[in-house]
Amino acid sequence: MIHRRALLASVAAAGAAVATSRMRAALPLSGGPVILSTWDHGIPANVAAMEALRSGGTALDAAERGVMVTEADVTNRSVGLTGYPDRDGIVTLDACIMDGDGRAGSVCFVQGIKHPVSLARKVMENTPHVMMVGKGAEQYARELGIEQLPNVLPDDVQKAWENWKKESRYQPVINIENHDTIGLLVLDANGRLAGACTTSGLAWKMHGRVGDSPIIGAGLYVDNEVGGATCTGVGEYVLRTLASFLAVERMRMGDTPQQACEEAIRRIKARHADVRNVQVGILALDTHGRHGAASIHDGFTFALHKDGKNQLRKA
Ligand code: ASP
């Protein structure tokens, strides 16, 4: 019988081996770093990510620091502790982070954690695991000295939830403010990639529901050999197609980031009979600094920081 500690050590060693075997020589990027992120809130997130790079941080630091801005934004209703709660009035958070060398960390269904992305990074860097959920992840946060805050809804959120409860009808509606995850991809000046994705999930979701955002391959996937992709929208549609992984693999086969995004959206539509009321948006960035963006419906905005400009665009 394998001793548990020995097993954990061998899992950790395997993780390190993955990272080492996937490392490649850095290729300086002629155009400088590129940062790509979902929705309007991507603009300030991109600024923080770029600052992290300028102050000597890695692509991973930049990805984390960028989405932390959105997590801390108390006006945001779809990311962080002030996001809309589930149907029981409880805010539960999902996040993941991935380095282009293949390392990844994720937390799902956590409560009271201001920066779930940073907890996901701790899971990646300090444990032999990739994903931790619920009470166990919260316990790990406490062990790290991360404060767990009480579930207090801002007044307008409390009112919106009480309003919703009158009919208690859960219906994903495209592009309204009941979903708007931040997914952010970074390509640093050495051609190395990282990404992060964080959300409070769909408003009024069932308690315990987890979407695509913290799932490596669904909400986010990054590979230094090819590029990265991240998704937003109704997570169930992304989960059924592993859209981020699909887009990265399409780029590996020769697609441009734009073609890869369009193929992922085509696949989602092909696998679902009706997407009339469902929005999914996907972004992709390759190692050359080229980007792509696509969505099922119009209205998906994204922020691109490139060549010294940080601009909001439409997919
Ligand atoms: N993808 C997220 C989820 O399904 C929602 C969003 O993008 O806003 O939880």
Side-chain angles (χ1 to χ4, degrees), residues 39 78 94 178-182 197 199-202 205 209-214 231-236 238:
W39 304 108
S78 53
D94 304 325
N178 75 350
H179 66 81
D180 268 3
T181 297
I182 179 129
C197 188
T199 191
S200 52
L202 297 182
K205 63 193 175 185
R209 179 263 188 193
V210 171
D212 60 312
S213 308
C231 290
T232 178
V234 185
E236 284 71 9
V238 178

PDB file of all heavy atoms in Angstrom, residues 39 78 94 178-182 197 199-202 205 209-214 231-236 238, ligand 1:
ATOM      1  N   TRP A  39     -14.888  41.678 -21.155  1.00  0.00           N
ATOM      2  CA  TRP A  39     -15.849  42.707 -20.758  1.00  0.00           C
ATOM      3  C   TRP A  39     -15.178  44.054 -20.436  1.00  0.00           C
ATOM      4  O   TRP A  39     -13.964  44.147 -20.396  1.00  0.00           O
ATOM      5  CB  TRP A  39     -16.701  42.243 -19.569  1.00  0.00           C
ATOM      6  CG  TRP A  39     -17.442  40.962 -19.785  1.00  0.00           C
ATOM      7  CD1 TRP A  39     -17.151  39.747 -19.195  1.00  0.00           C
ATOM      8  CD2 TRP A  39     -18.579  40.722 -20.631  1.00  0.00           C
ATOM      9  NE1 TRP A  39     -18.043  38.797 -19.619  1.00  0.00           N
ATOM     10  CE2 TRP A  39     -18.930  39.370 -20.484  1.00  0.00           C
ATOM     11  CE3 TRP A  39     -19.342  41.525 -21.477  1.00  0.00           C
ATOM     12  CZ2 TRP A  39     -19.997  38.794 -21.172  1.00  0.00           C
ATOM     13  CZ3 TRP A  39     -20.413  40.947 -22.161  1.00  0.00           C
ATOM     14  CH2 TRP A  39     -20.728  39.605 -21.999  1.00  0.00           C
ATOM     15  N   SER A  78     -20.714  40.620 -10.569  1.00  0.00           N
ATOM     16  CA  SER A  78     -20.543  39.281 -11.152  1.00  0.00           C
ATOM     17  C   SER A  78     -19.187  38.666 -10.825  1.00  0.00           C
ATOM     18  O   SER A  78     -18.900  37.547 -11.250  1.00  0.00           O
ATOM     19  CB  SER A  78     -20.730  39.350 -12.669  1.00  0.00           C
ATOM     20  OG  SER A  78     -19.894  40.346 -13.209  1.00  0.00           O
ATOM     21  N   ASP A  94     -15.741  31.207  -7.602  1.00  0.00           N
ATOM     22  CA  ASP A  94     -14.933  30.240  -8.343  1.00  0.00           C
ATOM     23  C   ASP A  94     -13.785  30.986  -9.022  1.00  0.00           C
ATOM     24  O   ASP A  94     -14.005  32.071  -9.574  1.00  0.00           O
ATOM     25  CB  ASP A  94     -15.742  29.594  -9.480  1.00  0.00           C
ATOM     26  CG  ASP A  94     -17.028  28.924  -9.027  1.00  0.00           C
ATOM     27  OD1 ASP A  94     -17.036  28.361  -7.919  1.00  0.00           O
ATOM     28  OD2 ASP A  94     -18.008  28.962  -9.796  1.00  0.00           O
ATOM     29  N   ASN A 178     -26.278  39.500 -15.186  1.00  0.00           N
ATOM     30  CA  ASN A 178     -26.262  38.377 -14.248  1.00  0.00           C
ATOM     31  C   ASN A 178     -25.117  37.421 -14.559  1.00  0.00           C
ATOM     32  O   ASN A 178     -24.999  36.378 -13.966  1.00  0.00           O
ATOM     33  CB  ASN A 178     -27.611  37.656 -14.157  1.00  0.00           C
ATOM     34  CG  ASN A 178     -27.876  36.780 -15.359  1.00  0.00           C
ATOM     35  OD1 ASN A 178     -27.171  36.842 -16.341  1.00  0.00           O
ATOM     36  ND2 ASN A 178     -28.895  35.967 -15.276  1.00  0.00           N
ATOM     37  N   HIS A 179     -24.328  37.776 -15.507  1.00  0.00           N
ATOM     38  CA  HIS A 179     -23.070  37.040 -15.699  1.00  0.00           C
ATOM     39  C   HIS A 179     -22.057  37.920 -16.405  1.00  0.00           C
ATOM     40  O   HIS A 179     -22.396  38.645 -17.323  1.00  0.00           O
ATOM     41  CB  HIS A 179     -23.283  35.732 -16.470  1.00  0.00           C
ATOM     42  CG  HIS A 179     -23.722  35.914 -17.891  1.00  0.00           C
ATOM     43  ND1 HIS A 179     -22.847  36.208 -18.891  1.00  0.00           N
ATOM     44  CD2 HIS A 179     -24.938  35.866 -18.453  1.00  0.00           C
ATOM     45  CE1 HIS A 179     -23.526  36.301 -20.020  1.00  0.00           C
ATOM     46  NE2 HIS A 179     -24.785  36.109 -19.785  1.00  0.00           N
ATOM     47  N   ASP A 180     -20.842  37.878 -15.984  1.00  0.00           N
ATOM     48  CA  ASP A 180     -19.785  38.740 -16.539  1.00  0.00           C
ATOM     49  C   ASP A 180     -18.435  38.433 -15.902  1.00  0.00           C
ATOM     50  O   ASP A 180     -17.771  39.323 -15.381  1.00  0.00           O
ATOM     51  CB  ASP A 180     -20.095  40.219 -16.260  1.00  0.00           C
ATOM     52  CG  ASP A 180     -20.862  40.887 -17.384  1.00  0.00           C
ATOM     53  OD1 ASP A 180     -21.201  40.197 -18.344  1.00  0.00           O
ATOM     54  OD2 ASP A 180     -21.102  42.097 -17.280  1.00  0.00           O
ATOM     55  N   THR A 181     -18.046  37.206 -15.943  1.00  0.00           N
ATOM     56  CA  THR A 181     -16.754  36.798 -15.387  1.00  0.00           C
ATOM     57  C   THR A 181     -15.596  37.616 -15.950  1.00  0.00           C
ATOM     58  O   THR A 181     -15.649  38.036 -17.106  1.00  0.00           O
ATOM     59  CB  THR A 181     -16.516  35.324 -15.790  1.00  0.00           C
ATOM     60  OG1 THR A 181     -17.543  34.566 -15.182  1.00  0.00           O
ATOM     61  CG2 THR A 181     -15.170  34.807 -15.403  1.00  0.00           C
ATOM     62  N   ILE A 182     -14.510  37.762 -15.165  1.00  0.00           N
ATOM     63  CA  ILE A 182     -13.279  38.254 -15.797  1.00  0.00           C
ATOM     64  C   ILE A 182     -12.359  37.075 -16.081  1.00  0.00           C
ATOM     65  O   ILE A 182     -12.027  36.291 -15.200  1.00  0.00           O
ATOM     66  CB  ILE A 182     -12.547  39.358 -14.985  1.00  0.00           C
ATOM     67  CG1 ILE A 182     -11.286  39.769 -15.740  1.00  0.00           C
ATOM     68  CG2 ILE A 182     -12.219  38.937 -13.569  1.00  0.00           C
ATOM     69  CD1 ILE A 182     -11.112  41.217 -15.943  1.00  0.00           C
ATOM     70  N   CYS A 197      -8.924  33.482 -14.213  1.00  0.00           N
ATOM     71  CA  CYS A 197     -10.359  33.608 -14.461  1.00  0.00           C
ATOM     72  C   CYS A 197     -11.064  33.578 -13.112  1.00  0.00           C
ATOM     73  O   CYS A 197     -10.763  32.700 -12.286  1.00  0.00           O
ATOM     74  CB  CYS A 197     -10.780  32.423 -15.337  1.00  0.00           C
ATOM     75  SG  CYS A 197     -12.458  32.503 -15.939  1.00  0.00           S
ATOM     76  N   THR A 199     -14.914  34.558 -10.796  1.00  0.00           N
ATOM     77  CA  THR A 199     -16.337  34.899 -10.929  1.00  0.00           C
ATOM     78  C   THR A 199     -17.110  34.601  -9.657  1.00  0.00           C
ATOM     79  O   THR A 199     -16.673  33.777  -8.841  1.00  0.00           O
ATOM     80  CB  THR A 199     -16.952  34.059 -12.082  1.00  0.00           C
ATOM     81  OG1 THR A 199     -18.245  34.550 -12.394  1.00  0.00           O
ATOM     82  CG2 THR A 199     -17.059  32.590 -11.729  1.00  0.00           C
ATOM     83  N   SER A 200     -18.267  35.264  -9.530  1.00  0.00           N
ATOM     84  CA  SER A 200     -19.228  34.823  -8.506  1.00  0.00           C
ATOM     85  C   SER A 200     -20.272  33.930  -9.174  1.00  0.00           C
ATOM     86  O   SER A 200     -21.234  33.511  -8.538  1.00  0.00           O
ATOM     87  CB  SER A 200     -19.891  36.038  -7.844  1.00  0.00           C
ATOM     88  OG  SER A 200     -20.414  36.910  -8.827  1.00  0.00           O
ATOM     89  N   GLY A 201     -20.079  33.650 -10.435  1.00  0.00           N
ATOM     90  CA  GLY A 201     -20.958  32.714 -11.156  1.00  0.00           C
ATOM     91  C   GLY A 201     -22.282  33.340 -11.536  1.00  0.00           C
ATOM     92  O   GLY A 201     -22.507  34.537 -11.355  1.00  0.00           O
ATOM     93  N   LEU A 202     -23.142  32.538 -12.083  1.00  0.00           N
ATOM     94  CA  LEU A 202     -24.436  33.048 -12.521  1.00  0.00           C
ATOM     95  C   LEU A 202     -25.251  33.499 -11.321  1.00  0.00           C
ATOM     96  O   LEU A 202     -25.290  32.817 -10.301  1.00  0.00           O
ATOM     97  CB  LEU A 202     -25.214  31.950 -13.255  1.00  0.00           C
ATOM     98  CG  LEU A 202     -24.605  31.418 -14.546  1.00  0.00           C
ATOM     99  CD1 LEU A 202     -25.519  30.377 -15.159  1.00  0.00           C
ATOM    100  CD2 LEU A 202     -24.373  32.549 -15.540  1.00  0.00           C
ATOM    101  N   LYS A 205     -27.993  31.196  -9.114  1.00  0.00           N
ATOM    102  CA  LYS A 205     -27.698  29.776  -9.402  1.00  0.00           C
ATOM    103  C   LYS A 205     -28.124  28.905  -8.216  1.00  0.00           C
ATOM    104  O   LYS A 205     -28.297  29.405  -7.094  1.00  0.00           O
ATOM    105  CB  LYS A 205     -26.198  29.618  -9.663  1.00  0.00           C
ATOM    106  CG  LYS A 205     -25.333  29.984  -8.439  1.00  0.00           C
ATOM    107  CD  LYS A 205     -23.856  30.135  -8.777  1.00  0.00           C
ATOM    108  CE  LYS A 205     -23.074  30.617  -7.555  1.00  0.00           C
ATOM    109  NZ  LYS A 205     -21.656  30.890  -7.852  1.00  0.00           N
ATOM    110  N   ARG A 209     -23.826  25.007  -7.248  1.00  0.00           N
ATOM    111  CA  ARG A 209     -23.516  25.000  -8.687  1.00  0.00           C
ATOM    112  C   ARG A 209     -22.129  25.610  -8.939  1.00  0.00           C
ATOM    113  O   ARG A 209     -21.765  26.634  -8.368  1.00  0.00           O
ATOM    114  CB  ARG A 209     -24.581  25.802  -9.437  1.00  0.00           C
ATOM    115  CG  ARG A 209     -24.357  25.896 -10.959  1.00  0.00           C
ATOM    116  CD  ARG A 209     -23.680  27.183 -11.332  1.00  0.00           C
ATOM    117  NE  ARG A 209     -23.619  27.372 -12.784  1.00  0.00           N
ATOM    118  CZ  ARG A 209     -22.865  28.296 -13.385  1.00  0.00           C
ATOM    119  NH1 ARG A 209     -22.111  29.103 -12.660  1.00  0.00           N
ATOM    120  NH2 ARG A 209     -22.849  28.417 -14.689  1.00  0.00           N
ATOM    121  N   VAL A 210     -21.355  24.980  -9.788  1.00  0.00           N
ATOM    122  CA  VAL A 210     -20.063  25.517 -10.222  1.00  0.00           C
ATOM    123  C   VAL A 210     -20.097  25.589 -11.743  1.00  0.00           C
ATOM    124  O   VAL A 210     -20.550  24.644 -12.395  1.00  0.00           O
ATOM    125  CB  VAL A 210     -18.894  24.623  -9.742  1.00  0.00           C
ATOM    126  CG1 VAL A 210     -17.578  25.057 -10.369  1.00  0.00           C
ATOM    127  CG2 VAL A 210     -18.794  24.665  -8.213  1.00  0.00           C
ATOM    128  N   GLY A 211     -19.632  26.694 -12.289  1.00  0.00           N
ATOM    129  CA  GLY A 211     -19.641  26.857 -13.745  1.00  0.00           C
ATOM    130  C   GLY A 211     -18.313  26.484 -14.367  1.00  0.00           C
ATOM    131  O   GLY A 211     -17.539  25.695 -13.825  1.00  0.00           O
ATOM    132  N   ASP A 212     -18.041  27.093 -15.497  1.00  0.00           N
ATOM    133  CA  ASP A 212     -16.821  26.780 -16.253  1.00  0.00           C
ATOM    134  C   ASP A 212     -15.580  27.494 -15.715  1.00  0.00           C
ATOM    135  O   ASP A 212     -14.454  27.036 -15.903  1.00  0.00           O
ATOM    136  CB  ASP A 212     -16.998  27.217 -17.715  1.00  0.00           C
ATOM    137  CG  ASP A 212     -17.258  28.728 -17.816  1.00  0.00           C
ATOM    138  OD1 ASP A 212     -18.115  29.242 -17.066  1.00  0.00           O
ATOM    139  OD2 ASP A 212     -16.584  29.394 -18.632  1.00  0.00           O
ATOM    140  N   SER A 213     -15.809  28.651 -15.050  1.00  0.00           N
ATOM    141  CA  SER A 213     -14.685  29.562 -14.790  1.00  0.00           C
ATOM    142  C   SER A 213     -13.500  28.953 -14.041  1.00  0.00           C
ATOM    143  O   SER A 213     -12.360  29.266 -14.361  1.00  0.00           O
ATOM    144  CB  SER A 213     -15.191  30.807 -14.053  1.00  0.00           C
ATOM    145  OG  SER A 213     -16.268  31.356 -14.746  1.00  0.00           O
ATOM    146  N   PRO A 214     -13.721  28.074 -13.029  1.00  0.00           N
ATOM    147  CA  PRO A 214     -12.554  27.541 -12.314  1.00  0.00           C
ATOM    148  C   PRO A 214     -12.054  26.226 -12.911  1.00  0.00           C
ATOM    149  O   PRO A 214     -11.154  25.603 -12.338  1.00  0.00           O
ATOM    150  CB  PRO A 214     -13.122  27.288 -10.912  1.00  0.00           C
ATOM    151  CG  PRO A 214     -14.528  26.871 -11.183  1.00  0.00           C
ATOM    152  CD  PRO A 214     -14.973  27.640 -12.409  1.00  0.00           C
ATOM    153  N   CYS A 231     -12.948  31.941 -21.333  1.00  0.00           N
ATOM    154  CA  CYS A 231     -14.363  32.059 -21.711  1.00  0.00           C
ATOM    155  C   CYS A 231     -15.164  32.806 -20.663  1.00  0.00           C
ATOM    156  O   CYS A 231     -14.798  32.850 -19.489  1.00  0.00           O
ATOM    157  CB  CYS A 231     -14.989  30.672 -21.850  1.00  0.00           C
ATOM    158  SG  CYS A 231     -14.388  29.762 -23.262  1.00  0.00           S
ATOM    159  N   THR A 232     -16.292  33.333 -21.085  1.00  0.00           N
ATOM    160  CA  THR A 232     -17.273  33.934 -20.189  1.00  0.00           C
ATOM    161  C   THR A 232     -18.653  33.626 -20.749  1.00  0.00           C
ATOM    162  O   THR A 232     -18.796  33.299 -21.921  1.00  0.00           O
ATOM    163  CB  THR A 232     -17.055  35.466 -20.082  1.00  0.00           C
ATOM    164  OG1 THR A 232     -18.060  36.011 -19.237  1.00  0.00           O
ATOM    165  CG2 THR A 232     -17.110  36.155 -21.427  1.00  0.00           C
ATOM    166  N   GLY A 233     -19.648  33.735 -19.895  1.00  0.00           N
ATOM    167  CA  GLY A 233     -21.004  33.440 -20.348  1.00  0.00           C
ATOM    168  C   GLY A 233     -21.585  32.290 -19.563  1.00  0.00           C
ATOM    169  O   GLY A 233     -21.105  31.962 -18.478  1.00  0.00           O
ATOM    170  N   VAL A 234     -22.593  31.674 -20.099  1.00  0.00           N
ATOM    171  CA  VAL A 234     -23.289  30.605 -19.367  1.00  0.00           C
ATOM    172  C   VAL A 234     -22.386  29.358 -19.332  1.00  0.00           C
ATOM    173  O   VAL A 234     -22.184  28.686 -20.346  1.00  0.00           O
ATOM    174  CB  VAL A 234     -24.654  30.306 -20.000  1.00  0.00           C
ATOM    175  CG1 VAL A 234     -25.410  29.279 -19.162  1.00  0.00           C
ATOM    176  CG2 VAL A 234     -25.474  31.596 -20.104  1.00  0.00           C
ATOM    177  N   GLY A 235     -21.856  29.087 -18.144  1.00  0.00           N
ATOM    178  CA  GLY A 235     -20.770  28.127 -18.001  1.00  0.00           C
ATOM    179  C   GLY A 235     -21.091  26.725 -18.452  1.00  0.00           C
ATOM    180  O   GLY A 235     -20.208  25.995 -18.924  1.00  0.00           O
ATOM    181  N   GLU A 236     -22.358  26.317 -18.340  1.00  0.00           N
ATOM    182  CA  GLU A 236     -22.712  24.949 -18.703  1.00  0.00           C
ATOM    183  C   GLU A 236     -22.390  24.665 -20.169  1.00  0.00           C
ATOM    184  O   GLU A 236     -21.967  23.566 -20.536  1.00  0.00           O
ATOM    185  CB  GLU A 236     -24.208  24.703 -18.423  1.00  0.00           C
ATOM    186  CG  GLU A 236     -24.559  24.500 -16.942  1.00  0.00           C
ATOM    187  CD  GLU A 236     -24.443  25.772 -16.083  1.00  0.00           C
ATOM    188  OE1 GLU A 236     -24.245  26.878 -16.644  1.00  0.00           O
ATOM    189  OE2 GLU A 236     -24.547  25.660 -14.841  1.00  0.00           O
ATOM    190  N   VAL A 238     -20.021  26.061 -21.894  1.00  0.00           N
ATOM    191  CA  VAL A 238     -18.559  26.014 -22.039  1.00  0.00           C
ATOM    192  C   VAL A 238     -18.033  24.681 -21.499  1.00  0.00           C
ATOM    193  O   VAL A 238     -17.152  24.053 -22.091  1.00  0.00           O
ATOM    194  CB  VAL A 238     -17.914  27.201 -21.294  1.00  0.00           C
ATOM    195  CG1 VAL A 238     -16.401  27.151 -21.390  1.00  0.00           C
ATOM    196  CG2 VAL A 238     -18.441  28.527 -21.833  1.00  0.00           C
TER     197      VAL A 238
HETATM  198  N1  ASP B   1     -18.994  31.691 -16.804  1.00  0.00           N
HETATM  199  C1  ASP B   1     -19.556  32.075 -15.522  1.00  0.00           C
HETATM  200  C2  ASP B   1     -20.293  30.933 -14.931  1.00  0.00           C
HETATM  201  O1  ASP B   1     -20.937  30.203 -15.650  1.00  0.00           O
HETATM  202  C3  ASP B   1     -20.448  33.218 -15.612  1.00  0.00           C
HETATM  203  C4  ASP B   1     -19.932  34.418 -16.355  1.00  0.00           C
HETATM  204  O2  ASP B   1     -19.182  34.332 -17.284  1.00  0.00           O
HETATM  205  O3  ASP B   1     -20.294  35.511 -15.989  1.00  0.00           O
HETATM  206  O4  ASP B   1     -20.297  30.799 -13.721  1.00  0.00           O
END
